[in-house]
Amino acid sequence: MNSNCFILAIESSCDDTAAAVINNGVILSNVVATQKIHEAYGGVVPELASRAHQQNIVPVVHQALRKANIDKKQLSAIAFTRGPGLMGSLLVGTSFSKSLAMGLGIPLIEVNHMQAHILAHFIKAEGQTAPNFPFLALTISGGHTQIVKVNNYFEMDVIGQTIDDAVGEAFDKSAKILGLPYPGGPLIDKHAQNGNPKAYPFTKPKVSPMDFSFSGLKTAVLYFVEKETKKDPDFVTKNINDICASLQYTIVSYLMDKLKNAVKTTGITTIAIGGGVSANSGIRKVLKEAEAKFGWKTHIPNFEYCTDNAAMIAMVGELKYKNGMFAKNDVVASARMKF
Ligand code: KG4
Ligand code: ZN
């Protein structure tokens, strides 16, 4: 690949419209337009997300090119998120990318969003070191919770996953019960930092060793809050820090239990996390501690590459470009795209 290869990447799988430009593993621009409209509804409204992508995509792409200081005529290829995600959202990024690539007469590269969360570790950036193969990836987001055995860039096996809600949903739905606005994950994290993690014990759901279940936890929080507010209507307001700390402690130690099981099963001790929930301070802390405690080598992406972004799509785009892995012109968005 010549060093003047510039790839534009577009991400529109959920409620963030994002574009980025990459050159030799270095991100030249990384623009994200987060859709505020969903806050009022306490969760992502698919039709509104799709409409907001339509409005955002041209200015976001324009800004990404401007920040990277390149002209669209210099682009070597367009990478886009094909799936998984919300169909109406994916369609906007997919059709825009296809038209732009066709118009410019350059190749199109399809990217799996979950693979991108994992391969974000290979972006060349200060504070990031690429994991050595094979490694275990814990992908934790609002839509997914998986443990993936990563053999190389393109060979990945899902060895554990949630049987119901994703961990991000557990954070967001619990936050909603506590009266916190959407998305509640970061707010639970914020309150947790000033609370006692052992104040209220929540039971960890039981499923097979490397799988996850989170729907019971949300119900447990609901019953707990209902019971306590009957005794004291101000219970949640008075104890928000301790409730959040206890909830976060339960979720983080549950994730760690599953990772330990995966390490035991595979013998792999290099761990990389990805997805929005990897921004959580609790999981970041215990993973760092695991290096000294269990001899693991852990990789945590820079904050800007944790939540949904197009830089990670650009990284996969570049790896696929190097390997001549291009999409056909009739490629379509895939809401349930597998690895
Ligand atoms: O990867 P992402 O940006 O979008 C999806 O593909 O889902 O992940 C968003 C999820 C949301 O559920 C959000 O609450 C959660 O990541 N999240 C957090 C934190 N930051 C984002 N959860 C817990 N603690 C955080 N600091
Ligand atoms: Zn994501």
Side-chain angles (χ1 to χ4, degrees):
M1 190 182 71
N2 83 49
S3 58
N4 286 327
C5 158
F6 295 100
I7 293 172
L8 169 72
I10 292 166
E11 152 66 33
S12 72
S13 64
C14 190
D15 60 340
D16 293 302
T17 319
V21 177
I22 194 168
N23 173 241
N24 277 327
V26 177
I27 298 299
L28 303 184
S29 61
N30 185 26
V31 179
V32 184
T34 301
Q35 304 174 0
K36 293 274 173 219
I37 191 161
H38 308 287
E39 278 173 19
Y41 300 89
V44 178
V45 184
E47 177 61 21
L48 296 180
S50 176
R51 290 183 203 185
H53 283 306
Q54 292 271 21
Q55 286 178 345
N56 294 344
I57 198 148
V58 173
V60 164
V61 167
H62 197 74
Q63 209 182 336
L65 289 171
R66 211 182 52 216
K67 279 195 174 167
N69 199 22
I70 65 155
D71 187 85
K72 57 183 182 305
K73 292 198 183 76
Q74 290 172 266
L75 293 173
S76 316
I78 311 279
F80 72 100
T81 306
R82 185 181 168 211
L86 301 171
M87 188 45 104
S89 292
L90 290 166
L91 280 172
V92 178
T94 305
S95 44
F96 183 90
S97 304
K98 281 170 81 167
S99 325
L100 189 58
M102 262 182 225
L104 294 170
I106 55 175
L108 189 62
I109 301 167
E110 60 172 85
V111 175
N112 179 303
H113 179 92
M114 296 311 292
Q115 250 181 10
H117 271 304
I118 296 172
L119 297 177
H121 287 275
F122 294 89
I123 292 170
K124 287 183 197 153
E126 215 181 299
Q128 289 208 167
T129 51
N132 290 326
F133 297 114
F135 64 89
L136 293 177
L138 175 71
T139 45
I140 40 181
S141 74
H144 299 270
T145 307
Q146 294 179 328
I147 300 179
V148 183
K149 183 169 169 273
V150 186
N151 302 317
N152 60 49
Y153 293 128
F154 306 115
E155 205 192 299
M156 304 183 184
D157 302 315
V158 179
I159 58 170
Q161 59 193 321
T162 181
I163 59 162
D164 42 53
D165 290 353
V167 59
E169 272 181 285
F171 270 107
D172 296 340
K173 288 179 180 170
S174 301
K176 196 173 174 181
I177 296 167
L178 298 173
L180 300 171
Y182 176 85
L187 296 168
I188 290 193
D189 192 2
K190 205 168 144 210
H191 285 294
Q193 289 173 36
N194 299 312
N196 172 8
K198 303 275 176 71
Y200 308 107
F202 291 104
T203 316
K204 292 189 225 168
K206 285 192 183 59
V207 282
S208 50
M210 291 188 286
D211 286 333
F212 304 85
S213 167
F214 289 102
S215 62
L217 190 62
K218 166 192 71 192
T219 317
V221 173
L222 180 67
Y223 289 161
F224 168 76
V225 167
E226 277 178 359
K227 192 175 119 222
E228 295 298 333
T229 43
K230 260 188 205 143
K231 291 186 253 166
D232 175 5
D234 297 327
F235 174 79
V236 172
T237 331
K238 284 182 193 159
N239 300 289
I240 189 77
N241 291 345
D242 284 350
I243 302 170
C244 289
S246 302
L247 193 59
Q248 181 157 309
Y249 173 78
T250 309
I251 295 176
V252 169
S253 62
Y254 188 56
L255 294 174
M256 281 303 281
D257 289 349
K258 301 297 178 172
L259 264 183
K260 284 183 212 160
N261 293 340
V263 168
K264 213 161 127 191
T265 308
T266 60
I268 298 170
T269 53
T270 301
I271 316 287
I273 57 168
V277 181
S278 52
N280 183 267
S281 65
I283 187 78
R284 292 170 96 91
K285 185 164 166 272
V286 293
L287 269 183
K288 274 293 145 218
E289 287 167 0
E291 296 213 323
K293 229 164 147 183
F294 311 124
W296 295 1
K297 178 88 189 82
T298 64
H299 296 263
I300 303 172
N302 288 355
F303 209 73
E304 62 187 310
Y305 306 137
C306 283
T307 46
D308 284 353
N309 65 86
M312 65 183 193
I313 308 300
M315 186 67 240
V316 184
E318 192 179 270
L319 290 166
K320 286 194 156 183
Y321 185 86
K322 279 186 198 170
N323 287 280
M325 297 160 80
F326 301 114
K328 295 205 179 99
N329 278 346
D330 61 357
V331 62
V332 289
S334 169
R336 298 189 173 275
M337 188 179 186
K338 298 257 185 291
F339 278 1

